[in-house]
């Protein structure tokens, strides 16, 4: 490298990349969210109306919560394509218990317990039986989805008791799901950064062999990661089940892709080992905002999934390029 | 040694298949009629077509989750080219297959040029291609295809369903390529040890590029056949198809970790799965119950494969 190249001002793309590396993907997504709100707000001021903001943040908080668990799974070097079906099943369990008069606390906690149990099994198959997580969760997806539809025939659950509707509570005027989203994201972020187990997850995803040599019990840790993921899926399911007056006992379409997209675009490297849950939550908000923005700018919402696909692809390609430069 | 273990897996499959067929024949006297068997063959043609290139993909140690979406995209574009743009139907059909090929090429380029793991690349394009299909079609379906078009999916040639000829032709070609050519040996070598394959001077990138492109092309062809079979196009066509395809391949003895698998095995896996499906249907299990069983079969097949191969190693 010659001296005047060192002296010259770096090109714009290079400075942008430098900014990304210094501030992380989170800053970019935050900037994208603000930009989106400003631009769409100018085009159609109703986009910034109270009811729309509530629906963006509160209505999609469950996706952000599920994305936290997904981020952990991906950071550990695995994937879960069954989370949408799992949330559908858990939401139906919560609703069914609620209409049958079980105590509300049971209705809220049962999905968490079932989510942890199901994912403990998934984690067991991945870690101890050594079936790749994509195959286990692909199989699980169809088992849960098919099982749910066979069991319920897609019937709607009505007449949910009002005290069950957790997502409709508004302490201090702010919808409850927003509290959940913010609190869980911050707790998980701190826990991932400072706890021993949090660092373990990064170590496993970064380099499993090195992790094993340092004495980390990889199998047990992976089962734990999946169980935690199941726990977050349970919370997401309760938020999802309680936000409307009915629960349609089917699997919310494309939910797993939305959750994976949030985690990946939020900066969780798909090769494992890096990423934060703050990024995944911001990305979940960004996607909710994009979906809403499409409607407010009269672009057909049918393009939403193409936009999602492009975002995942762009993020993954940028991640690969960054890794190549670092090597 | 390996030949023997291949034979063993395929013998087990064949035995299972015979048992399944006997049970099915017991359940219903309508099962073992020529009409029903040919109809079953018709129903499994699309999954069968997709399972052939998927065998190559999985043998290289990769996976293609986007085949269902490519299938949907090609189906929608067939309708758009013909109905929307007013192109002659044969041209629209060719273009739809071509679109499948381009979509597959896109996968291949992402995987080989940017070193993105196939799982992630095709998960992203699963969303992207399905999204394009939804965006382009705006959830409108296209109907009213001319009568001759239905020959492909509903007609017969020489007493066999038309699409069965496609399946047979491509299966034989795939078996020859995978089993008897340098290309096939390269495919196995990549799956067994990609780095070693590269250092042996094999063109890993080109092989993978061709395989993923082939997967897309065949998905396009399967989509055209499917549209002809069901006489309409919709953007949600082929949703979840990757599950059936991957299950058939894995059931057929192809190792999900790459390096091992045969076309014969895939065909046996495919037939076994179709027998299972039709058995469930005869037993009164609806479509949603069937996918539960398929999911369990997928996991169980790999579980067994893991156990068997561990025994083989030790």
């Amino acid at each position: 490298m010659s001296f005047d190249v060192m002296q010259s001002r770096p090109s714009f793309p290079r400075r942008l990349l430098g900014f990304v590396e210094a501030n992380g993907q989170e800053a970019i997504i935050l900037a994208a969210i603000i930009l989106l709100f400003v631009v769409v707000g100018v085009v159609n001021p109703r986009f910034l109306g109270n009811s729309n903001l509530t629906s963006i943040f509160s209505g999609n908080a469950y996706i952000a919560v599920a994305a936290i668990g997904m981020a952990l799974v991906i950071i550990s070097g695995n994937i879960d394509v069954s989370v949408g079906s799992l949330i559908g099943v858990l939401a139906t369990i919560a609703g069914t218990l609620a209409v049958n008069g079980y105590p509300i606390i049971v209705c809220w906690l049962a999905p968490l317990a079932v989510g942890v149990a199901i994912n403990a099994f998934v984690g067991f198959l991945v870690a101890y039986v050594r079936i790749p997580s994509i195959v286990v969760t692909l199989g699980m997806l169809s088992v849960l989805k098919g099982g749910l539809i066979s069991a319920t025939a897609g019937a709607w659950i009505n007449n949910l008791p009002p005290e069950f509707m957790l997502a409709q509570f508004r302490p201090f005027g702010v919808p409850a799901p927003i509290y959940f989203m913010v609190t869980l994201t911050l707790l998980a972020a701190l826990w991932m950064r400072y706890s021993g187990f949090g660092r373990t997850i990064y170590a496993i995803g970064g380099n499993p062999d090195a992790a094993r040599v340092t004495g980390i019990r990889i199998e047990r840790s992976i089962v734990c990661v999946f169980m935690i993921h199941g726990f977050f899926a349970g919370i997401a399911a309760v938020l999802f089940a309680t936000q409307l007056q009915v629960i349609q006992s089917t699997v919310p379409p494309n939910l797993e892709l939305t959750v994976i997209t949030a985690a990946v675009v939020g900066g969780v490297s798909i090769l494992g080992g890096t990423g934060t849950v703050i990024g995944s939550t911001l990305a979940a908000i960004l996607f909710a905002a994009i979906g809403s923005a499409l409607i407010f700018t009269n672009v057909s919402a049918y393009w939403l999934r193409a936009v999602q696909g492009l975002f995942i692809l762009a993020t993954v390609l940028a991640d690969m390029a960054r890794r190549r430069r670092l090597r | 040694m390996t030949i023997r273990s291949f034979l063993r897996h395929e013998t087990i499959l064949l035995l299972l298949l015979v048992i399944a067929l006997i049970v099915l024949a017991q359940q219903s006297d309508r099962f073992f009629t020529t009409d029903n068997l040919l109809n079953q063959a018709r129903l499994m043609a699309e999954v069968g077509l997709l399972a052939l290139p998927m065998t190559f993909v999985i043998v290289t140690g990769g996976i293609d989750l986007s085949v269902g979406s490519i299938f949907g995209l090609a189906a929608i574009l067939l309708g758009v080219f013909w109905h929307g743009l007013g192109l002659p139907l044969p041209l629209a059909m060719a273009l739809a297959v071509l679109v499948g090929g381009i979509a597959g090429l896109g996968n291949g380029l992402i995987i080989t040029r940017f070193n993105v793991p196939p799982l992630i690349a095709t998960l992203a394009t699963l969303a992207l291609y399905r999204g394009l299909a939804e965006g382009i079609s705006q959830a409108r379906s296209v109907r009213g295809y001319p009568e001759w078009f239905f020959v492909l999916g509903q007609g017969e040639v020489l007493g066999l369903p038309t699409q069965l000829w496609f399946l047979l032709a491509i299966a034989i070609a795939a078996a020859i390529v995978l089993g008897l050519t340098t290309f096939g040996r390269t495919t196995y070598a990549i799956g067994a040890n990609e780095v070693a394959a590269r250092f042996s001077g094999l063109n890993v990138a080109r092989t993978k590029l061709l395989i993923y492109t082939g997967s897309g092309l065949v998905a396009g062809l399967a989509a055209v056949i499917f549209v002809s079979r069901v006489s309409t196009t919709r953007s949600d066509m082929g949703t979840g198809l990757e599950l059936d395809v991957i299950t058939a391949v894995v059931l057929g003895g192809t190792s999900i970790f790459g390096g091992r698998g045969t076309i014969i095995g895939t065909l046996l896996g495919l037939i076994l799965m179709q027998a299972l499906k039709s058995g469930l249907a005869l037993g009164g299990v609806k479509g949603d119950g069937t996918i539960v069983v398929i999911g369990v079969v997928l996991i169980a097949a790999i579980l067994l494969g893991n156990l068997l191969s561990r025994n083989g190693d030790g």
Side-chain angles (χ1 to χ4, degrees):
Chain A
M1 203 184 295
S2 75
F3 191 65
D4 33 288
V5 172
M6 300 272 289
Q7 285 281 327
S8 71
R9 195 171 154 75
S11 66
F12 178 70
R14 195 146 286 268
R15 273 186 293 150
L16 192 70
L17 263 173
F19 177 77
V20 176
E21 267 156 34
N23 298 282
Q25 199 116 341
E26 291 87 348
I28 299 279
I29 297 174
L30 191 60
I33 294 176
I34 295 171
L35 189 71
L36 185 80
F37 273 93
V38 171
V39 171
V40 182
V42 168
V43 173
N44 188 341
R46 277 188 302 138
F47 182 72
L48 298 178
N50 212 354
S51 67
N52 190 51
L53 290 185
T54 306
S55 91
I56 290 177
F57 285 97
S58 175
N60 292 284
Y62 74 97
I63 291 174
V65 171
I68 296 174
M70 182 63 78
L72 302 195
V73 168
I74 298 179
I75 290 171
S76 79
N78 291 290
I79 189 110
D80 178 7
V81 293
S82 70
V83 69
S85 310
L86 182 61
I87 290 175
V89 168
L90 297 179
T92 305
I93 291 175
T96 310
L97 291 174
V99 293
N100 285 314
Y102 283 86
I104 296 305
I105 195 76
V106 172
C107 306
W108 286 342
L109 292 183
L112 275 57
V114 177
V116 170
I118 290 178
N119 271 14
F121 178 63
V122 170
F124 168 77
L125 290 180
V126 172
Y128 288 98
V129 192
R130 293 179 196 287
I131 308 180
S133 54
I134 178 66
V135 178
V136 177
T137 56
L138 199 60
M140 213 57 192
L141 181 158
S142 64
V143 169
L144 293 172
K145 189 178 184 177
L148 179 64
I149 303 173
S150 319
T152 64
W156 292 32
I157 304 176
N158 291 306
N159 302 323
L160 295 162
E163 63 275 20
F164 170 65
M165 310 310 276
L166 182 65
Q168 294 177 11
F169 297 166
R170 297 177 77 102
F172 308 109
V174 178
I178 294 178
Y179 289 103
F180 275 94
M181 176 170 78
V182 173
T183 316
L184 290 172
T185 304
L186 290 179
L187 283 180
L190 289 172
W191 182 76
M192 286 297 283
R193 193 176 176 92
Y194 295 111
S195 77
F197 189 71
R199 304 318 299 170
T200 301
I201 301 175
Y202 284 107
I204 294 174
N207 187 338
D209 296 327
R212 192 184 298 280
V213 174
T214 52
I216 291 171
R217 273 180 277 189
I218 295 186
E219 285 80 10
R220 219 181 53 176
S221 305
I222 287 180
V223 174
C224 285
V225 166
F226 271 95
M227 286 165 74
I228 296 167
H229 173 47
F231 181 77
F232 280 105
I235 300 176
V238 173
L239 294 178
F240 174 72
T242 57
Q243 63 181 0
L244 302 171
Q245 297 305 324
V246 293
I247 302 170
Q248 196 184 352
S249 54
T250 52
V251 174
N254 305 324
L255 184 53
E256 51 274 338
L257 269 181
T258 310
V259 173
I260 293 171
T261 309
V264 171
V265 174
V268 175
S269 169
I270 209 73
L271 296 181
T274 62
T276 69
V277 296
I278 293 184
S280 70
T281 296
L282 287 174
I285 294 172
L286 176 63
F287 279 109
I290 291 175
S292 172
L294 288 180
I295 297 166
F296 275 83
T297 52
N298 285 325
V299 180
S300 159
Y302 287 116
W303 288 106
L304 180 60
R305 190 136 47 132
V307 173
Q308 273 187 1
L310 271 181
F311 264 88
I312 311 184
L313 205 54
T315 320
V316 170
L317 291 183
D319 183 32
M320 297 311 291
R322 195 156 59 215
R323 275 169 189 264
R324 191 175 293 183
R325 273 181 352 99
L326 288 177
R327 228 182 359 234
Chain B
M1 187 62 200
T2 46
I3 297 281
R4 198 186 297 162
S5 64
F6 276 177
L7 281 179
R8 202 169 56 200
H9 186 95
E10 277 146 22
T11 326
I12 295 173
L13 273 184
L14 208 56
L15 272 174
L16 281 176
L17 189 57
V18 171
I19 295 170
L21 291 178
I22 292 173
V23 171
L24 284 171
Q26 295 276 317
Q27 269 193 353
S28 161
D29 50 359
R30 280 177 301 129
F31 182 78
F32 253 109
T33 56
T34 322
D35 275 355
N36 183 50
L37 290 181
L38 288 182
N39 191 41
Q40 296 298 332
R42 200 189 282 285
L43 294 179
M44 73 181 186
E46 292 105 16
V47 172
L49 281 170
L50 291 170
L52 298 171
M54 186 69 87
T55 309
F56 284 77
V57 169
I58 297 183
V59 166
T60 64
I63 197 157
D64 186 354
L65 298 175
S66 72
V67 286
S69 295
I70 297 181
F71 186 91
L73 182 60
I76 277 300
L77 285 177
L78 170 64
V80 169
F81 289 143
W82 175 66
H83 193 260
L85 299 182
L87 297 178
L89 189 51
L91 181 61
M93 288 157 67
L95 284 176
V97 176
L98 189 67
V99 165
I102 293 170
L105 179 67
N107 284 338
L109 287 174
I110 295 166
I111 292 163
T112 56
R113 293 279 179 274
F114 294 89
N115 286 324
V116 178
L119 166 63
I120 303 309
T122 57
L123 192 63
T125 55
L126 177 148
L128 179 61
Y129 296 151
R130 179 70 64 193
L132 288 175
E134 284 174 350
I136 292 170
S137 75
Q138 297 293 312
R140 281 189 299 265
S141 62
V142 175
R143 296 178 146 274
Y145 292 96
E147 204 54 44
W148 66 262
F149 176 62
F150 299 133
V151 171
L152 202 54
Q154 303 172 21
E156 285 179 4
V157 171
L158 304 176
L160 287 181
T162 318
Q163 58 264 61
L164 200 55
W165 290 108
F166 280 95
L167 180 60
L168 287 175
I170 297 179
I172 291 170
I176 291 173
V177 171
L178 187 60
L180 302 176
T181 65
T182 341
F183 187 85
R185 300 319 301 169
T186 309
T187 308
Y188 285 112
I190 294 173
N193 188 337
E194 187 168 331
V195 177
R198 191 171 295 126
F199 283 128
S200 314
L202 298 174
N203 196 336
V204 172
R206 199 193 58 153
T207 308
K208 283 198 195 170
L209 203 60
L210 283 173
I211 289 174
Y212 284 96
T213 308
S215 179
L217 273 177
V218 173
L221 175 67
V224 173
I225 291 173
F226 185 70
V227 170
S228 166
R229 174 155 76 82
V230 299
S231 335
T232 177
T233 50
R234 287 203 326 263
S235 62
D236 64 345
M237 280 177 163
T239 307
L241 199 60
E242 61 279 354
L243 176 77
D244 279 20
V245 175
I246 295 169
T247 307
V249 173
V250 169
L251 193 59
T254 299
S255 163
I256 195 78
F257 302 102
R260 217 152 35 79
T262 59
I263 294 293
I264 304 277
T266 295
L267 289 175
L268 286 172
L270 173 73
I271 298 171
L272 188 58
M273 207 172 75
Q274 187 62 34
L276 201 64
K277 277 187 186 173
S278 84
L280 290 169
L282 283 175
V285 179
K286 295 218 189 72
D288 305 309
T290 315
I291 68 169
V292 175
V293 179
I294 302 290
V296 172
V297 167
L298 172 63
I299 295 178
I302 296 188
L303 204 71
L304 276 177
N306 270 11
L307 293 178
L308 284 179
S309 70
R310 206 169 287 172
N311 286 349
D313 292 342

